[in-house]
Amino acid sequence: RPHSRPRHPGVRTMLPLLLLLLPAAHGIAQLGYRPALSKDPPLGGLRTASTFVVEQPRCVFKDYGNAVIWLVVALEQAASAFNNSAGPGTPETAFQGFPDPVRAYMTLNATLGSYPCPKPDGEITVLRVGSETSCAQDETRPTCNGPLPGPGPYRVKFLALEGSVPVAETAWSVPIMLKEAKSLNSISTTDGGHSADMIAITTILSILFAILLAGLVATLFFWGSDSCGGSGTFSKPESVTVRRYNTHHVYDQPAARL
């Protein structure tokens, strides 16, 4: 057509870039899944002073086969402000800076193959958050799954990245509190501060000690009785045989005549 203009060559080169930015422009997919604590606590407990156990996101990211799935751990008050574009392994999301100045970190990355759907029989389907101690201070491992620094509360979510682009995420979990260890100064040593459990344990130990002592006394008594009985038993002495000898030179000779 006479009035048509030739297409600018830059349009062709911009098209792939626009396609790459399309997911970011439309926002990442919000999945109808909320991480939760495990329903079957594994060995070691569901929550400790520095760890907790959550269920794996099985059958959640099945439409994102090329994505890497990350676990985001945040302080409760900082969860809503987390930036999904913050890349894992950066100073902004490094575990070693948590909880200050880093308010949320990314860890436990896995591909979809690590979360098969459906779950094979007998396979472990939980993640223990905070289980790595060797890398807690190692700044060369910013995605360390290190021990949590306090009782919380914390919130977690799963975030799927294709390359560096976030494509899907779950909802945040409900607040998770860890067990808080009591300090030695908070434990009362006075008589009035003893708990009912401590009194019960003391009573049981006292009863067991009394039973043990009684058994020991009875054993010593029976041993003493056996020793006395053995010394008072007399066996019949062997009979002494006295052999009688005849003096032959007296009886064999005729009587002496007077």
Side-chain angles (χ1 to χ4, degrees):
R1 289 176 294 182
H3 297 288
S4 63
R5 295 181 179 179
R7 180 176 297 178
H8 195 280
V11 175
R12 182 175 300 178
T13 59
M14 290 293 294
L15 185 59
L17 181 60
L18 291 175
L19 292 176
L20 289 175
L21 295 177
L22 190 61
H26 284 237
I28 65 176
Q30 303 295 318
L31 305 179
Y33 175 81
R34 187 183 299 275
L37 293 176
S38 173
K39 297 178 182 179
D40 299 315
L43 185 65
L46 182 62
R47 292 175 298 159
T48 68
S50 60
T51 69
F52 61 87
V53 180
V54 295
E55 291 285 348
Q56 293 180 358
R58 296 298 179 100
C59 306
V60 176
F61 294 94
K62 58 182 182 295
D63 296 330
Y64 302 91
N66 296 325
V68 176
I69 304 164
W70 291 85
L71 178 71
V72 183
V73 184
L75 296 173
E76 180 189 12
Q77 62 271 26
S80 59
F82 177 73
N83 180 13
N84 285 328
S85 298
T90 63
E92 188 178 356
T93 60
F95 169 80
Q96 287 75 18
F98 185 78
D100 186 25
V102 175
R103 312 295 282 174
Y105 65 96
M106 300 174 68
T107 186
L108 292 176
N109 57 308
T111 60
L112 191 62
S114 299
Y115 303 133
C117 177
K119 178 185 77 69
D121 293 338
E123 188 171 311
I124 297 175
T125 60
V126 298
L127 299 173
R128 182 172 290 278
V129 181
S131 61
E132 293 184 76
T133 58
S134 60
C135 58
Q137 304 298 327
D138 187 357
E139 294 185 357
T140 63
R141 295 184 58 189
T143 60
C144 174
N145 180 29
L148 295 165
Y154 303 98
R155 289 193 176 207
V156 298
K157 74 173 181 179
F158 291 98
L159 177 64
L161 302 179
E162 289 184 353
S164 59
V165 179
V167 293
E169 67 174 346
T170 67
W172 287 100
S173 68
V174 298
I176 299 172
M177 287 291 299
L178 303 185
K179 292 184 177 181
E180 192 169 2
K182 291 184 178 180
S183 63
L184 295 177
N185 295 332
S186 65
I187 301 175
S188 175
T189 57
T190 60
D191 293 338
H194 288 188
S195 64
D197 292 340
M198 182 63 70
I199 295 174
I201 292 174
T202 304
T203 303
I204 293 173
L205 290 176
S206 300
I207 294 173
L208 292 175
F209 179 74
I211 295 174
L212 181 62
L213 183 61
L216 181 60
V217 171
T219 302
L220 292 175
F221 175 77
F222 285 121
W223 281 356
S225 298
D226 291 342
S227 300
C228 294
S231 61
T233 302
F234 297 95
S235 59
K236 182 179 179 181
E238 294 182 2
S239 57
V240 179
T241 303
V242 179
R243 183 173 296 177
R244 182 177 180 181
Y245 294 93
N246 295 325
T247 52
H248 300 285
H249 63 282
V250 175
Y251 295 100
D252 294 343
Q253 295 178 0
R257 294 182 182 180
L258 298 178

